[in-house]
Amino acid sequence: MKNIEELIQKAVELQSNGLVTGQIANELNVSRDTVTWLLMRSKRGAEAPAPKDISVNWSAIGKSSFRLRYISQALCDMVLESLDKSDQRADMVVGIGLSGVPMATMIAEELGVEFSIFHGYDSQKERNKNTGIFSRNFGHVKGKNCIIVDDVVSSGSTITDVIEQTKKSGSNPVAIAVIIDKKNSETISGVPVNSLIKLARVD
Ligand SMILES: O=P(O)(O)OC[C@H]1O[C@H](OP(=O)(O)OP(=O)(O)O)[C@H](O)[C@@H]1O
């Protein structure tokens, strides 16, 4: 997104396509408050100040499998360093659908371990606290030490859910790998976060 007007236009377009606030927030990698503000501004102009948030667009990486491979290798390197420190090994990589899946596939290949896909919960049902599920078409996480891979941590709720479901499935999450962590987290639910970029506000 080049500017705020484009972001507003995209939010309005997604809403008219039937997406609800949580889904638009995930799609634009911004908070729900920011989506509410964008939609409000589209109707009445800027009455309230914009929430403190950062819109993330990593399509310059996502559009190229070549670039994705290098980014995946960089993440893989960070995760190996983190596992080394805690003297742990991984035997499964979990990709969070949709955006975490290409990198998770490449990391699993790089490490020579199994691969699993987690479908995040549907944001539309978020308020009912529905959780995501592991796809049965890929590896099964039971008994495995898992690396969890996604593109962005925004509120952290997706990763928190994956960790919970991973533990419930009888496996052990040992590391998280993401391109960008908007929460600047050291850990999420006790699991170390490895991100290429951590964002921290100074205001
Ligand atoms: O930290 P959170 O607030 O939970 O947000 C981060 C999640 O939101 C996006 O997923 P989305 O559901 O939009 O799926 P996508 O990968 O298909 O974009 C993103 O890929 C993360 O999985």
Side-chain angles (χ1 to χ4, degrees):
M1 287 307 144
K2 285 191 186 63
N3 57 43
I4 201 76
E5 296 308 325
E6 265 185 65
L7 211 51
I8 290 169
Q9 211 180 329
K10 190 68 193 168
V12 170
E13 186 189 313
L14 292 170
Q15 189 187 43
S16 66
N17 286 343
L19 272 69
V20 295
T21 306
Q23 291 171 315
I24 300 170
N26 284 343
E27 189 59 33
L28 298 180
N29 288 318
V30 297
S31 71
R32 287 166 161 272
D33 286 349
T34 301
V35 172
T36 305
W37 182 83
L38 289 168
L39 294 172
M40 194 178 73
R41 189 169 145 163
S42 76
K43 288 182 192 136
R44 290 182 281 156
E47 286 167 9
K52 291 186 189 303
D53 197 3
I54 288 166
S55 156
V56 173
N57 178 351
W58 59 277
S59 63
I61 300 166
K63 71 179 178 188
S64 156
S65 55
F66 177 78
R67 294 174 191 172
L68 270 172
R69 181 165 296 282
Y70 278 107
I71 292 293
S72 303
Q73 283 174 351
L75 282 174
C76 191
D77 187 57
M78 288 182 73
V79 167
L80 285 176
E81 189 181 67
S82 150
L83 291 178
D84 207 35
K85 275 187 202 149
S86 55
D87 207 19
Q88 283 182 303
R89 286 176 63 85
D91 42 18
M92 170 69 77
V93 179
V94 178
I96 302 178
L98 176 72
S99 302
V101 171
M103 291 178 296
T105 314
M106 291 174 183
I107 292 172
E109 186 188 5
E110 183 83 10
L111 296 176
V113 299
E114 281 189 29
F115 167 64
S116 170
I117 289 183
F118 185 88
H119 297 291
Y121 52 65
D122 184 339
S123 306
Q124 205 158 0
K125 296 173 185 162
E126 194 172 338
R127 300 220 182 274
N128 300 335
K129 294 207 180 309
N130 281 6
T131 59
I133 52 159
F134 289 97
S135 169
R136 66 193 184 100
N137 294 328
F138 298 87
H140 296 163
V141 295
K142 190 174 179 185
K144 301 274 171 50
N145 285 339
C146 299
I147 299 167
I148 295 163
V149 180
D150 205 354
D151 58 337
V152 180
V153 170
S154 289
S155 68
S157 61
T158 302
I159 296 271
T160 303
D161 181 37
V162 179
I163 291 171
E164 202 180 313
Q165 298 309 313
T166 307
K167 287 179 179 167
K168 273 189 189 158
S169 304
S171 67
N172 179 31
V174 291
I176 295 160
V178 295
I179 303 175
I180 298 171
D181 175 11
K182 288 170 68 174
K183 293 200 80 183
N184 192 18
S185 341
E186 283 299 315
T187 61
I188 296 180
S189 301
V191 182
V193 178
N194 300 276
S195 62
L196 293 180
I197 298 168
K198 283 185 192 293
L199 301 180
R201 299 200 71 94
V202 292
D203 58 349

